[in-house]
Amino acid sequence: MERVAVGKVNLGLSLLGRRPDGYHELHTLFAALSFGDRLLLEPIPEGIQFRGRYGRRNLAYRAAEAYLEAAGWPGGVRIVLEKALPEGAGLGGGSSDAAQVLLALKELYPKELDLEALALSLGADVPFFLRGGVAEGRGVGERLRPLALPPLPVVVFAPGVRLPTPRVYGEVKPHDFAPELPVEEIVRALERGEEPLYWNSLEGPAFRLHPELKEVKARLKALGLRGVLLSGSGSAFFGLAEDEAHAERAARALRYHGFARAGWLGGGYGSLGGLAGAKTGASS
Ligand SMILES: C[C@](O)(CO)[C@H](O)COP(=O)(O)OP(=O)(O)OC[C@H]1O[C@@H](n2ccc(N)nc2=O)[C@H](O)[C@@H]1O
Ligand SMILES: Nc1ncnc2c1ncn2[C@@H]1O[C@H](COP(=O)(O)OP(=O)(O)OP(=O)(O)O)[C@@H](O)[C@H]1O
């Protein structure tokens, strides 16, 4: 069984406050990308055989363990993970891998389990990837409301600066908090090809940790991309292109400086992560 674990960007991320459990209350728009990691899974009589980095600490491995444990070990699974998304970049790579493992195991070993709860136990971004598409996220990111957006040509660029999510959240100061995102206005601007008035509250902490990221944002803007923003806790940025050709040109111009890829944002992907009938971006 082959699955694609697409990445995500946050079309705006506002930190509303700090919760008693130490996590942050957030308001965000998740949007799945049209490209991501590849997973090959097949049933085996028992146990988990995993080929990928970090071994048992890999989120894909941990998702298999969580599902099979909850299902009472009805069988085992062999997983091969082929990474394509840069790690620790704010693109939800590990979270998406974990979600695809949960979905694949539900197909292999159907059981009445609370997949959302299992997903949330693996990470705040995992629940979104159970459905993908575009969704408004609240809570720590687990309270999801699907949104409709047409596919948008996008460029994703990761400058290779490692920004662990806990480190960025740990750097959040009271002045980084902000009001709710104007969701309707953002969706309308995106549909009309206008500059969306969104923000990412994590840019403040990320830029305090790595000031050089400000130049990265400026470089994407200089390529004529709209809505340029840090994705999640970074260090990847994304920008919206006029059309596919513009996205490809911008990705080519960025390729010498890190991971750069043109693709699509929005919903409507097939199970293999490609837009039905639309070409995804060239690989990096
Ligand atoms: C930045 C985002 O990617 C935006 O989508 C998510 O908020 C982070 O999701 P994630 O990487 O799945 O985060 P987790 O692995 O669950 O949490 C990593 C660490 O980030 C911090 N964290 C995460 C989510 C959240 N709403 N508030 C937090 O403070 C916590 O310190 C947590 O220990
Ligand atoms: N399957 C996986 N893919 C990538 N990283 C993984 C995986 N499993 C565990 N990790 C570890 O988790 C860290 C975060 O990886 P991940 O790619 O999920 O970060 P991210 O893109 O910032 O995700 P998010 O946006 O959810 O924070 C990595 O630096 C790595 O140490």
Side-chain angles (χ1 to χ4, degrees):
M1 176 195 282
E2 173 184 338
R3 314 262 319 189
V4 172
V6 293
K8 61 87 182 160
V9 297
N10 297 78
L11 293 169
L13 188 163
S14 195
L15 288 186
L16 308 182
R18 205 172 158 78
R19 296 159 40 118
D21 64 2
Y23 272 62
H24 291 78
E25 191 71 28
L26 59 82
H27 188 212
T28 189
L29 298 187
F30 288 109
L33 288 161
S34 54
F35 55 84
D37 301 336
R38 222 160 70 104
L39 291 126
L40 301 169
L41 304 102
E42 60 178 353
I44 55 176
E46 61 174 10
I48 299 170
Q49 293 175 13
F50 175 70
R51 201 162 88 216
R53 296 181 69 187
Y54 313 115
R56 306 168 72 95
R57 279 188 310 108
N58 193 296
L59 260 171
Y61 184 101
R62 285 173 39 210
E65 214 168 28
Y67 186 93
L68 293 172
E69 186 70 40
W73 293 95
V77 68
R78 174 179 299 121
I79 302 172
V80 177
L81 170 60
E82 292 172 7
K83 289 301 290 183
L85 294 167
E87 298 185 9
L91 298 175
S95 306
S96 190
D97 298 339
Q100 287 307 318
V101 167
L102 293 178
L103 292 167
L105 286 175
K106 185 168 174 62
E107 275 184 41
L108 288 177
Y109 303 111
K111 289 272 181 180
E112 275 312 303
L113 297 176
D114 182 346
L115 227 49
E116 279 73 15
L118 273 178
L120 183 55
S121 72
L122 292 159
D125 274 348
V126 183
F128 163 69
F129 287 109
L130 290 178
R131 286 183 192 73
V134 180
E136 178 186 23
R138 290 177 178 279
V140 297
E142 84 290 352
R143 295 201 333 260
L144 297 160
R145 177 172 72 96
L147 290 173
L149 260 190
L152 301 169
V154 68
V155 180
V156 172
F157 175 66
V161 172
R162 273 195 93 73
L163 256 181
T165 303
R167 181 99 178 74
V168 180
Y169 272 109
E171 179 61 32
V172 167
K173 302 284 187 264
H175 67 269
D176 294 315
F177 294 134
E180 302 217 331
L181 294 171
V183 175
E184 305 315 322
E185 289 84 338
I186 292 170
V187 170
R188 215 177 6 260
L190 292 170
E191 286 168 339
R192 293 176 179 166
E194 295 162 0
E195 186 70 28
L197 298 177
Y198 52 40
W199 63 89
N200 181 344
S201 302
L202 292 173
E203 281 194 346
F207 289 0
R208 287 196 292 273
L209 290 168
H210 287 278
E212 70 275 21
L213 292 177
K214 290 180 202 156
E215 280 78 63
V216 175
K217 183 168 183 175
R219 193 185 301 153
L220 268 72
K221 285 184 171 177
L223 290 169
L225 297 171
R226 279 180 299 111
V228 175
L229 203 62
L230 187 77
S231 180
S233 52
S235 59
F237 287 81
F238 68 93
L240 303 169
E242 291 314 307
D243 53 33
E244 195 175 355
H246 177 206
E248 300 280 358
R249 279 196 311 278
R252 257 197 309 281
L254 290 162
R255 194 149 294 144
Y256 311 101
H257 310 282
F259 171 95
R261 179 137 183 196
W264 295 84
L265 270 190
Y269 307 135
S271 65
L272 287 187
L275 257 185
K279 217 163 58 66
T280 55
S283 61
S284 71

